Amino acid sequence: MKHLAPKHSAGLLVSLSLSLGAAFPGAAMAQTPPSTATAGDAAVTQGPAAPAAAAAPDVVTSSEEVPGLTVRRGRSETIIDAPIEVVARAITDFPTYDTFMPHVRDVRVVRRNRADTDVYMQVPLRGSLGVVWALVRVNVRRTPGRLELVGHAVDGNMERFESTTTLERIPGPTPRTRMSFTLLALPRLPFPSSVFSREMVDAARTVANNLRARIARAEAARTQAAASATIVRTGG
């Protein structure tokens, strides 16, 4: 594998680092204070509870302190309208990551060892600058009604990478899954810590939105296929 350290934006490197069902972050948002969470672009402070009639936010994001660092970890939480088994299959299908990470190419599982999977991903840079790449080791932990994926970079051009994705089954008549995602990604670039902190939060939101949308499309296609098969069998 080729080691490169070309000049590029922090957002590009953070995008590469999204090893658990992400896509490239959009425009940077304002930095989130320690006591503030956001749902979309609206801030939700840790004050009095919102009125009961208020709609639940689609994705809630926040930032967290990391001991010994000035860069903050990004976090997102969301509810996915699908069984945990469906969400788990999507989040552990590593070779398909490039189908919902538009700029990522050459995704390969290079090693499996019990609960650990090493996933190589690369992002081609413009012109002849080469590629940005990372080898991420993902540990999968399964318990009844819960799945946790913990990833960290074992090779590449990043100073530090850590991510955690947690899926939890939500009890009730309708299959639903609660997903939380955290990200800390430090490229070897001389950018202020505030730049990376903003990108962490923005990327965490993008992870939740893109994965949920991808699963919704797959579930809609599955439902339509099942309905078509029923019509064929009944001659309707």
Side-chain angles (χ1 to χ4, degrees), residues 6-8 10 187-193 195-196:
K7 295 181 179 179
H8 38 58
R188 299 189 183 107
L189 292 173
F191 284 90
S193 60
V195 172
F196 295 115

Side-chain angles (χ1 to χ4, degrees), residues 14-90:
V14 169
S15 300
L16 171 68
S17 308
L18 305 182
S19 66
L20 302 176
F24 275 52
M29 53 173 286
Q31 186 172 5
T32 307
S35 62
T36 303
T38 61
D41 292 328
V44 181
T45 60
Q46 297 178 354
D58 288 339
V59 177
V60 175
T61 60
S62 59
S63 62
E64 304 172 344
E65 291 184 357
V66 181
L69 295 178
T70 56
V71 175
R72 301 177 65 86
R73 179 187 293 113
R75 179 183 182 88
S76 66
E77 295 189 8
T78 192
I79 303 298
I80 299 177
D81 293 324
I84 189 171
E85 295 80 9
V86 171
V87 183
R89 281 197 299 271

Side-chain angles (χ1 to χ4, degrees), residues 94-126:
F94 304 112
T96 67
Y97 275 15
D98 59 343
T99 64
F100 55 97
M101 297 175 69
H103 299 282
V104 172
R105 298 293 181 270
D106 193 15
V107 183
R108 288 176 278 160
V109 172
V110 299
R111 174 182 173 273
R112 294 184 187 271
N113 181 22
R114 297 183 183 272
D116 290 336
T117 303
D118 289 355
V119 183
Y120 168 78
M121 294 183 293
Q122 66 172 225
V123 176
L125 300 177
R126 294 180 180 179

